[in-house]
Amino acid sequence: MKQELYDLAGRAIQMAKSAGAGDCRVSIGGERFVEIGYRDRKPETIREASTKALRVEIFVNKRYSSQSTSDLRPDSLRTFITNAVASTKLLAEDPFRTLPDPKYYQGRSAVDLRQYDPDYEKVSPESRHGFVRAIEEACLAKGGDKVISVTARCYDSRSEQLLMTSNGFDGYQEASVFYGGSQMTARDEGDRRPAEFAGAVTLSRKELPRPETIGAEAAERTLALLGAKKIKTETLPIIIENRVVSRFGGGFMQAMFGRSIQQKQSFLADKKGQKVGSPVLTLIDDPFLPGALGSGTFDNEGMAAKKRVMIDAGVLKEFYVDWYYSRKLGWEPTTGSPTNLIVPPGKRPVKEIMKDLRRGIFITGFIGGNSNSTTGDTSIGIVGQLFDKGELIHPVSEMNIADNHLKIWQRLAEAANDPYPYDQARFPSLVFTDVVVSGI
Amino acid sequence: MTKMTRRSFIKTGATAAAATLAVPAFLPSGWYSFAQAEAAGYFEKEFGITEGLCRKVLARALAKGGDFADLFFEHTISNYLILEDGKVNRAASDVALGVGIRTVKGDQVGYGFTQELGEGAMLAAASTAATIADASAKEPAGKFVALKAKNFYPVKTLFSSVPLESKLPLVQSTNDKCFALSPSVAKVNVVFHDQQKRILVVTSDGIRAEDLQPRSYLAATVVAEKNGKRERSGWNYGGRREFSYYTPALVDNLAKLSVERALVLFEAIQPPAGEMPVVLGPGVTGVLLHEAIGHGLEADFNRKKISTYSDLVGKKVAEPFVTIIDDGTVPNLTGSINFDDEGTPGQKTVLVDKGILRGYLHDKISAKFYGVSPTGNGRRESYQHFVIPRMRNTYMLAGEASPEDVIKAAGKGIYVEDVANGQVKIGEGDFAFYVSQGRLIERGQLGAPIKDVNIMGNGPKMLANIIMLADDFEFHEGGAGACGKGGQTAPCGFGLPSALVKSLTVGGVKG
């Protein structure tokens, strides 16, 4: 398959050049996946297919366009690319649109990032069904008579990706992905039917948790939501659970991109070198973690990946600046593509932190909400548990937190010792003080 | 393939339609008509998809039995023109081509798809779909009847026939008009998107439905600067619209709204947090109806008993002046469909009739489970996805009060002009929305603009707490948004009159 992708990319570049393109960048992705869902102890859905798609970015007379297609029949592809080049010539000039200077392709790491599980081909249909069935059974068993519905799902894929440019870059990456998860809906008071899920995604099968663990966790998380109440509006400490920190932190990170800054949509634009968070806030972008979901030796533009400290003990050190916006801003490029995100974990488990905080909210999920990258204002619905002196009192629902990213991260008091392993963002649970939690 | 005469085509068409189609009682007779033979045939002409080939693939999909199988062919061309820093300096296009093959047995679905429309690839995908069943083979229908409902978005000029030279000035003028409106405008981004999606649904029970679904929007985002502060907002117009929809007058409105909405935020404050009366303004706030109530009425959630509405059909869920409809037949609205993606004609479905919950939104699987006719809500993002029940255009009928009286009745609370980023928890009915534009209501009058707050509530409670409706119903004419469910997106429309909700939680920074 690898050679097939190289041949196709080479042909596409040739087609674009023949049609008059000055430069071009081609990426091709191919994937074979299997997805199985179980409900009521039988398969509910089985979905399986192979996909392949080609994207070509065209640079012609300082003009730029990006085109993608899954119609890869040779004649269709030639017509598609020829028309794309012709259309691109009609756009307005943009002198900042070029391929990266090839010097940024240099210095690519040769480290083995273990993105592909060599045992992938050994996964049999029977083992997939057995895995999902075990998840469902564990969830049903743990959920007991509170269960209204349980669904369990597994997904695995083998994919390959090739990036090739007309100015000398090529990079190929093969990866496997495994997912196992379960969702349970439970009987509660009145018409309320709380639902929660648990799941894990990894690059190698042996790193997935046992199916029994996934199923039981889904049930436990759902049962924990029974009897949820809204409390009075109150200023409290909050703990955001590790697996949902990325949704909240994403609002902050939106403002770290070159585009946001150049388009005047970033509350961080003039904050480089300044304190934007408490000393607990360190954010590292590390593309070189073996077996991690965000690892890679080059970015989407072919620029060699580097480990970067984005925020150091509360001080903003770097932005995510791709080649195009680096030229518009007149800055050095870093990368436009975050990789694995690390906030260094603390020393204590959440349970212990709760004891010290006395009364607070442990946030286990977010709902709706918004984060304004221009102003930093954020407002988001929360789901979680009210706790007091280390004990969970009751779950909360229909509640909200509102704050500003430039203020709330200054009140980051502690990171727990539980970095989440099943996400590109390996964040630990985070503790913030003095947050207005709105309810009644 | 045996060519059918026009006469036999009409005859078999009528028989098949009578046997398989659901036409709700309130629709006038003759509501659907049959396709002109010459109107169809795109996939046969372009990709050699003949009836014989379809029958062969369907037979493979039913090789191990199953209730039925269907094929969903898709060829979609999407284009984007993007303006940044005063120039249309970026274009993007995407071509999606493929077929999805589904085998259904009870509530179980086997699904395979392929991007290659050759016989070998399609048979392999059909074999994947067939694995869901385990009985003896079943034969697909001997003939396929072309079927076509009324056309709710007739296309005179394909987007592919509109030259780029005509589209570029539209995008450029949107930018120029925004800048002309205020010296505070600092940045403008404009996107023009057009899409033509051709689909062909062929079912093992003998239906062949072919459609051309246009979709487009023009969207502007404005960043304004004033006294060292920045604010951002925007607006969009669109739907299942042709290029002729985008007139200079529409661009004027788009620019005016986009700039006004950004500028008003400089004056905006955060309201106090807590429970209070909320007036939902007309039109775009209908997205709240979509999220907070509509999703809970999608039949798959109810069939599995995971929706808070699972046991409420026939019961009072709202005041008698509340009627909620989901409708695929509104001309040119984003969520309109001539057919759904399993070959059931687009239609109008009353969900709540004068306060009583009448039923759910069905695809074929849930309709069979409930013993009712499918409502034309079986939709999917693309050939890569199987059908699930989805909304089309969801709206609440107008009331009789004046909008001023509705605001007056609220007394002290907030007025919501626009919302975004809505999300609902189906089982509890809890939802959260970000209020992107709104105002305080004080002493029954609109007060200061508000910003950056969420409203939280519970769908069934909110529905029961709608205590007044105005006579100012509007459909939202935007086209840029999409609804997400089960990892799939779908274009949906919505509408609402001004509505007073007795109490919702408003999330702010002040206690």
Side-chain angles (χ1 to χ4, degrees):
Chain A
M1 277 297 277
K2 184 175 175 180
Q3 192 54 46
E4 205 180 297
L5 294 197
Y6 268 85
D7 292 346
L8 180 57
R11 278 202 306 276
I13 288 177
Q14 197 51 50
M15 286 175 191
K17 296 281 255 184
S18 308
D23 265 314
C24 62
R25 178 165 54 220
V26 173
S27 55
I28 307 173
E31 184 188 27
R32 174 86 197 156
F33 74 85
V34 182
E35 183 185 33
I36 299 170
Y38 263 66
R39 187 172 164 270
D40 289 345
R41 296 191 165 95
K42 62 180 197 254
E44 183 183 36
T45 52
I46 298 174
R47 185 167 161 260
E48 185 174 348
S50 297
T51 63
K52 200 195 285 179
L54 177 144
R55 176 169 184 249
V56 56
E57 292 167 272
I58 292 161
F59 301 82
V60 54
N61 303 342
K62 298 179 183 166
R63 290 160 171 89
Y64 169 81
S65 76
S66 153
Q67 323 276 338
S68 59
T69 181
S70 66
D71 184 358
L72 301 177
R73 295 172 298 167
D75 287 348
S76 304
L77 189 60
R78 183 175 297 281
T79 308
F80 178 75
I81 290 176
T82 305
N83 290 343
V85 173
S87 304
T88 309
K89 289 177 181 168
L90 300 175
L91 298 174
E93 247 188 47
D94 185 349
F96 303 112
R97 284 286 183 193
T98 62
L99 285 174
D101 183 329
K103 76 178 184 189
Y104 293 101
Y105 301 151
Q106 304 306 314
R108 206 187 319 171
S109 166
V111 66
D112 176 12
L113 295 173
R114 293 197 283 109
Q115 298 289 290
Y116 179 68
D117 183 346
D119 289 336
Y120 182 82
E121 295 301 333
K122 292 181 193 159
V123 182
S124 66
E126 294 74 24
S127 73
R128 290 184 178 107
H129 282 267
F131 184 75
V132 192
R133 271 199 301 265
I135 295 176
E136 187 191 13
E137 285 303 333
C139 190
L140 286 167
K142 194 72 164 187
D145 60 3
K146 292 291 182 190
V147 170
I148 292 177
S149 174
V150 165
T151 52
R153 194 168 77 91
C154 79
Y155 171 97
D156 58 72
S157 81
R158 175 182 188 166
S159 65
E160 50 182 352
Q161 191 86 32
L162 171 68
L163 186 70
M164 190 186 275
T165 70
S166 59
N167 70 343
F169 176 85
D170 69 86
Y172 173 86
Q173 187 158 315
E174 197 173 12
S176 50
V177 168
F178 297 87
Y179 170 83
S182 183
Q183 175 162 323
M184 173 178 146
T185 301
R187 224 175 299 279
D188 200 357
E189 293 150 24
D191 286 324
R192 289 182 69 84
R193 296 155 198 246
E196 250 290 25
F197 78 99
V201 54
T202 59
L203 298 181
S204 85
R205 192 152 196 234
K206 62 178 181 298
E207 284 170 32
L208 270 184
R210 289 173 51 77
E212 295 79 6
T213 309
I214 296 172
E217 191 193 349
E220 282 160 8
R221 292 184 72 91
T222 311
L223 295 173
L225 298 180
L226 294 179
K229 283 182 259 190
K230 188 160 33 169
I231 61 168
K232 277 183 80 168
T233 301
E234 197 174 341
T235 301
L236 290 170
I238 59 168
I239 305 173
I240 304 180
E241 192 185 18
N242 57 5
R243 71 175 198 164
V244 296
V245 166
S246 62
R247 180 152 169 193
F248 189 73
F252 184 93
M253 287 187 59
Q254 256 185 317
M256 293 175 73
F257 286 85
R259 181 182 184 277
S260 302
I261 295 161
Q262 195 273 330
Q263 288 296 300
K264 301 192 174 188
Q265 297 178 12
S266 168
F267 61 88
L268 294 173
D270 56 355
K271 298 283 188 289
K272 193 167 173 181
Q274 295 182 30
K275 205 168 162 294
V276 295
S278 80
V280 177
L281 181 62
T282 289
L283 176 68
I284 297 160
D285 188 298
D286 187 350
F288 302 127
L289 297 178
L293 291 161
S295 296
T297 57
F298 55 91
D299 73 4
N300 294 343
E301 299 181 289
M303 295 198 287
K306 286 188 181 141
K307 182 175 174 177
R308 298 171 198 279
V309 177
M310 307 303 293
I311 301 172
D312 188 13
V315 177
L316 180 63
K317 294 287 188 187
E318 292 264 28
F319 291 114
Y320 288 103
V321 186
D322 66 10
W323 175 250
Y324 175 65
Y325 286 103
S326 80
R327 284 167 58 82
K328 274 189 141 175
L329 289 161
W331 296 359
E332 264 297 290
T334 54
T335 177
S337 335
T339 67
N340 301 299
L341 299 171
I342 314 292
V343 170
K347 297 200 166 78
R348 303 194 295 167
V350 166
K351 261 275 180 216
E352 207 176 306
I353 297 170
M354 274 184 192
K355 283 182 193 160
D356 285 355
L357 292 176
R358 304 183 68 85
R359 187 175 163 84
I361 305 274
F362 180 46
I363 295 172
T364 57
F366 289 108
I367 173 170
N370 189 64
S371 182
N372 184 333
S373 68
T374 307
T375 62
D377 289 322
T378 182
S379 178
I380 189 164
I382 58 164
V383 175
Q385 305 283 336
L386 175 69
F387 63 84
D388 199 1
K389 295 171 202 147
E391 298 299 320
L392 299 182
I393 308 298
H394 64 74
V396 294
S397 66
E398 283 187 68
M399 299 198 65
N400 189 82
I401 57 171
D403 218 301
N404 183 289
H405 282 295
L406 282 172
K407 294 178 183 162
I408 193 169
W409 291 92
Q410 304 280 2
R411 305 199 302 277
L412 173 63
E414 187 170 355
N417 66 350
D418 57 352
Y420 189 65
Y422 305 119
D423 194 339
Q424 199 172 328
R426 298 189 159 201
F427 294 150
S429 300
L430 297 180
V431 183
F432 297 86
T433 55
D434 300 323
V435 178
V436 176
V437 185
S438 333
I440 297 169
Chain B
M1 183 187 114
T2 313
K3 288 235 174 189
M4 280 191 287
T5 63
R6 173 79 179 139
R7 193 176 174 80
S8 67
F9 165 75
I10 291 171
K11 195 175 157 197
T12 50
T15 313
T20 56
L21 294 180
V23 183
F26 56 83
L27 291 170
S29 61
W31 175 77
Y32 56 86
S33 58
F34 299 106
Q36 299 296 308
E38 61 274 16
Y42 177 78
F43 284 90
E44 181 170 356
K45 199 172 81 189
E46 294 292 323
F47 304 105
I49 306 302
T50 62
E51 287 201 358
L53 181 57
C54 290
R55 192 171 299 108
K56 201 166 176 180
V57 177
L58 285 166
R60 177 67 65 87
L62 292 172
K64 295 179 174 181
D67 300 340
F68 67 90
D70 55 25
L71 315 178
F72 179 84
F73 294 90
E74 177 188 350
H75 186 211
T76 299
I77 300 169
S78 308
N79 298 301
Y80 296 85
L81 283 176
I82 298 155
L83 177 144
E84 187 177 287
D85 292 327
K87 291 185 287 191
V88 190
N89 50 16
R90 192 174 151 208
S93 300
D94 181 66
V95 175
L97 173 68
V99 57
I101 300 165
R102 176 175 71 152
T103 303
V104 175
K105 178 191 160 203
D107 59 357
Q108 297 172 274
V109 175
Y111 200 77
F113 66 83
T114 171
Q115 295 165 322
E116 291 170 32
L117 300 187
E119 182 174 324
M122 287 199 279
L123 287 173
S127 296
T128 297
T131 56
I132 199 74
D134 52 6
S136 52
K138 191 173 171 179
E139 279 294 308
K143 284 187 174 174
F144 301 104
V145 176
L147 185 78
K148 191 178 178 189
K150 270 188 177 172
N151 195 343
F152 304 110
Y153 33 82
V155 176
K156 282 189 203 135
T157 309
L158 290 170
F159 277 112
S160 53
S161 307
V162 179
L164 196 57
E165 291 90 334
S166 301
K167 296 176 188 171
L168 291 169
L170 172 73
V171 180
Q172 189 68 50
S173 68
T174 308
N175 172 77
D176 300 349
K177 285 176 178 177
C178 287
F179 272 106
L181 282 166
S182 167
S184 297
V185 173
K187 290 277 183 186
V188 175
N189 290 158
V190 185
V191 178
F192 179 66
H193 168 61
D194 65 70
Q195 181 181 81
Q196 55 194 48
K197 181 173 186 174
R198 291 182 184 271
I199 60 168
L200 167 67
V201 181
V202 185
T203 70
S204 63
D205 46 12
I207 298 291
R208 181 162 64 84
E210 194 159 0
D211 200 10
L212 168 61
Q213 300 176 337
R215 191 183 170 206
S216 61
Y217 64 77
L218 179 65
T221 304
V222 169
V223 176
E225 283 178 326
K226 214 172 177 179
N227 303 328
K229 286 188 172 174
R230 281 182 194 154
E231 293 290 355
R232 178 177 44 148
S233 192
W235 192 248
N236 78 89
Y237 283 113
R240 298 211 181 277
R241 312 281 182 182
E242 288 192 85
F243 189 66
S244 59
Y245 169 73
Y246 299 94
T247 59
L250 183 119
V251 175
D252 286 344
N253 279 340
L254 175 65
K256 187 167 171 284
L257 272 173
S258 302
V259 172
E260 279 176 3
R261 286 162 55 95
L263 294 180
V264 75
L265 295 175
F266 290 113
E267 322 300 326
I269 56 166
Q270 279 203 328
E275 287 191 352
M276 63 190 75
V278 172
V279 174
L280 305 173
V284 65
T285 57
V287 68
L288 211 141
L289 172 69
H290 167 106
E291 287 292 341
I293 294 158
H295 276 301
L297 298 175
E298 289 167 336
D300 49 346
F301 295 130
N302 291 284
R303 172 171 66 79
K304 298 172 187 176
K305 298 277 179 200
I306 59 178
S307 165
T308 183
Y309 294 99
S310 299
D311 301 317
L312 297 179
V313 171
K315 295 187 178 158
K316 184 180 176 217
V317 293
E319 294 297 326
F321 52 81
V322 173
T323 292
I324 300 172
I325 289 167
D326 183 77
D327 190 349
T329 73
V330 187
N332 302 108
L333 217 60
T334 304
S336 292
I337 41 175
N338 295 332
F339 305 107
D340 70 3
D341 297 330
E342 48 184 5
T344 305
Q347 52 202 266
K348 189 170 171 176
T349 308
V350 176
L351 293 167
V352 175
D353 185 19
K354 300 188 181 81
I356 309 296
L357 180 61
R358 291 295 178 203
Y360 304 125
L361 300 172
H362 292 285
D363 61 2
K364 281 185 175 178
I365 292 176
S366 67
K368 189 175 178 196
F369 176 87
Y370 281 100
V372 297
S373 300
T375 56
N377 290 89
R379 304 183 66 191
R380 58 178 117 202
E381 179 179 316
S382 77
Y383 66 91
Q384 299 195 5
H385 306 86
F386 48 76
V387 160
I388 49 176
R390 302 296 294 261
M391 282 171 270
R392 297 161 299 201
N393 304 302
T394 311
Y395 53 92
M396 185 179 286
L397 296 185
E400 291 175 354
S402 71
E404 293 75 24
D405 283 346
V406 170
I407 293 164
K408 197 172 166 190
K412 187 172 164 44
I414 65 165
Y415 180 79
V416 177
E417 288 171 284
D418 194 2
V419 286
N421 305 344
Q423 198 180 348
V424 62
K425 288 166 70 71
I426 294 295
E428 296 97 317
D430 296 342
F431 65 83
F433 267 87
Y434 163 66
V435 179
S436 53
Q437 298 271 311
R439 290 185 176 271
L440 287 178
I441 301 175
E442 290 167 313
R443 294 183 294 280
Q445 304 264 321
L446 290 184
I450 57 171
K451 65 170 185 176
D452 292 316
V453 290
N454 256 6
I455 47 175
M456 314 280 302
N458 177 276
K461 270 199 255 173
M462 181 179 84
L463 187 54
N465 278 335
I466 292 176
I467 53 174
M468 206 169 173
L469 291 176
D471 58 4
D472 58 348
F473 175 84
E474 278 176 26
F475 279 119
H476 174 51
E477 255 190 60
C483 163
K485 173 182 171 185
Q488 302 190 37
T489 60
C492 292
F494 33 81
L496 201 72
S498 290
L500 171 57
V501 185
K502 200 159 65 181
S503 174
L504 287 174
T505 299
V506 175
V509 289
K510 290 180 278 183

